[in-house]
Amino acid sequence: MYKVFLSAIGIGLLLGVAAPGLAESAPALRHAASFVVLAHSAVTSSGPTRVTGNVGVSPGDAVRGLPSEAFSVGDMHRDDALARQAALDVNAANDKLDGKPCNILLDSPSLGGRTLSRGVYCFESADVDLNGPLILDAEGNRDAVWVFRIAGKLTTAGDASVLVVGNGYDGNVFWTAGTAQLGARTIFIGNLFALTDIALNPGARLSGRLFARTGAVALHANDVSLCCAPVTLAPATLPNGNVGMPYRQTITASGGLAPYTFTVTSGSLPPGMVLASNGILEGTPARSGPIAFTITATDARGCSGTAAYDIRVACGPDLVLSELPPLAQGVPYEQTIVVTGGSGSYRLSAIGLPATLEITGLTIQGTPTDPGPYVFTVTVDDETSGCQGQRTYDLDCPALTIEPDVLPNGTMSVPYAETLVPAGGTDPYAFSMTAGAL
């Protein structure tokens, strides 16, 4: 494991905690931006807690239960210069949040099951609970900011969650409360400013920051990480493919903390293709058509980004149908069509086939009863790939002639030999005597 000292500037560069263009809408965290946990008196942890970011205490210096192995990125700061300055910056940011006028007043003390756009939210009741999912919709505005001002206690129920959608940013969510307790397995997002204490129950996860301005922060087997930076996948679009042709494309991610893990989270890949966890999409497409799916990249901190893709798989080499010999009225006919260029799972159909002929499998059979002409179109469907092939046949029996028109006379007891030459048909020919006698 490597250790990195994270200053306010360094963490912004490494983890992307600062979002441009928000100076007028969100308070500047300054040196506090590098801290995922900052308490006034103490920080304690029981159980295996994972920390991404700095942890600090000031003016106290009590830290218990957080060994160096708990930090994937960041370090401990016990009332040092950085922690002291960060504590001042927390108080300044809190004052700015408290000074913002409320533009939305909620008469219910419960936030569960809501979808909220940006704004400054205040509550008629002192205590507020989050007992279900809360969705914060940026509506496409990357600079959207949410502020929740709670006079009393913020409590989240077990398995409650906060989710930012619509191109929003976790770091633009701010909470102020007297005290806060996050329930077991809560997924919480944003910068939480508490006047006194903050406690996290086992399994609770944070993408944001915890600031206990005059109290302590108590962790219990949690995952606390600085606000997820946007994770972007590339390329924005994928090239199309062809049935039966090898396909390979590498998908990359940026904006988070490597390494990334790639998964298909909705839809499905074209049959015959797979996505490796390192982002390599490859295989041989086995079916044609437009295929839509979504790929999610998850970084080392559990932050994720998604991209929706649409691949159009075209048919590969053409399906080719073999030639057929001519038909003749009253002559039994049975011929098998050979198809090349597909998967081997074929289905034939025909338009214009003589009424007394039929297709069974790949074989045309029957006895034509009309004099022709015999012109019809056969279509082959590749049942595996969805591709088609087609061929039009003109199988009229051509007029045959035999040369010479007149045979020379012969002489008794003298050997006789004359070659008859057919014309107008297709080899091989079969000769028979249909009238008279030799």
Side-chain angles (χ1 to χ4, degrees):
M1 187 192 79
Y2 63 89
K3 298 298 293 293
V4 180
F5 177 83
L6 298 175
S7 68
I9 296 175
I11 193 71
L13 293 175
L14 179 61
L15 298 179
V17 300
L22 295 178
E24 297 179 0
S25 301
L29 297 178
R30 302 187 186 282
H31 292 80
S34 69
F35 286 86
V36 66
V37 176
L38 183 60
H40 180 271
S41 58
V43 175
T44 61
S45 176
S46 63
T49 292
R50 182 185 179 192
V51 180
T52 305
N54 287 330
V55 173
V57 183
S58 181
D61 61 2
V63 178
R64 295 186 297 274
L66 281 179
S68 59
E69 292 77 11
F71 290 79
S72 57
V73 174
D75 211 340
M76 187 71 66
H77 297 270
R78 294 178 174 87
D79 197 30
D80 60 11
L82 180 59
R84 289 192 292 271
Q85 182 58 55
L88 295 175
D89 293 338
V90 165
N91 290 328
N94 186 87
D95 290 344
K96 289 185 178 180
L97 291 172
D98 286 343
K100 288 182 176 293
C102 297
N103 53 38
I104 302 173
L105 179 64
L106 298 179
D107 57 5
S108 171
S110 178
L111 282 171
R114 295 175 180 262
T115 298
L116 302 178
S117 58
R118 60 179 177 166
V120 180
Y121 291 84
C122 299
F123 301 83
E124 290 185 350
S125 60
D127 297 336
V128 173
D129 65 87
L130 175 63
N131 56 8
L134 170 63
I135 298 176
L136 306 179
D137 190 354
E139 300 174 331
N141 185 346
R142 183 62 182 159
D143 295 343
V145 173
W146 296 262
V147 177
F148 296 92
R149 291 174 49 186
I150 301 166
K153 184 177 182 179
L154 170 64
T155 304
T156 72
D159 298 302
S161 63
V162 182
L163 177 65
V164 176
V165 299
N167 198 36
Y169 173 51
D170 296 0
N172 292 342
V173 181
F174 297 86
W175 308 78
T176 65
T179 183
Q181 182 169 353
L182 305 186
R185 300 172 304 280
T186 289
I187 299 175
F188 195 79
I189 284 175
N191 306 283
L192 176 55
F193 295 73
L195 176 61
T196 57
D197 298 330
I198 300 174
L200 276 63
N201 286 334
R205 298 180 60 183
L206 168 77
S207 170
R209 300 173 180 86
L210 303 175
F211 300 135
R213 296 169 53 219
T214 64
V217 174
L219 306 173
H220 300 87
N222 307 120
D223 188 337
V224 290
S225 172
L226 286 167
C227 302
C228 285
V231 176
T232 303
L233 281 69
T237 60
L238 293 175
N240 294 325
N242 294 90
V243 171
M245 304 293 289
Y247 185 102
R248 181 182 174 91
Q249 178 71 36
T250 299
I251 299 171
T252 61
S254 60
L257 184 64
Y260 301 90
T261 301
F262 296 84
T263 56
V264 177
T265 49
S266 69
S268 58
L269 298 177
M273 294 176 59
V274 296
L275 175 67
S277 61
N278 62 358
I280 296 178
L281 176 63
E282 63 181 340
T284 301
R287 188 163 187 83
S288 64
I291 310 293
F293 52 91
T294 298
I295 293 178
T296 296
T298 304
D299 76 355
R301 296 179 297 143
C303 300
S304 62
T306 62
Y309 292 110
D310 189 342
I311 293 180
R312 180 168 294 277
V313 179
C315 290
D318 292 338
L319 298 176
V320 179
L321 288 75
S322 62
E323 294 184 355
L324 290 174
L327 291 163
Q329 183 180 13
V331 178
Y333 190 89
E334 182 174 348
Q335 292 292 330
T336 297
I337 295 178
V338 177
V339 182
T340 56
S343 69
S345 177
Y346 306 118
R347 179 172 52 85
L348 294 184
S349 60
I351 297 176
L353 195 67
T356 54
L357 269 66
E358 63 179 7
I359 295 178
T360 302
L362 301 182
T363 300
I364 297 178
Q365 57 188 5
T367 301
T369 57
D370 57 65
Y374 306 111
V375 180
F376 55 91
T377 299
V378 176
T379 298
V380 57
D381 289 280
D382 188 331
E383 296 182 314
T384 298
S385 68
C387 298
Q388 284 188 337
Q390 197 172 77
R391 179 167 183 169
T392 297
Y393 293 95
D394 185 350
L395 303 184
D396 266 350
C397 209
L400 299 181
T401 60
I402 301 176
E403 295 180 354
D405 292 335
V406 179
L407 293 175
N409 294 324
T411 303
M412 181 182 294
S413 300
V414 177
Y416 185 97
E418 186 69 27
T419 299
L420 303 177
V421 180
T426 303
D427 279 329
Y429 297 96
F431 292 85
S432 62
M433 189 172 66
T434 55
L438 293 176

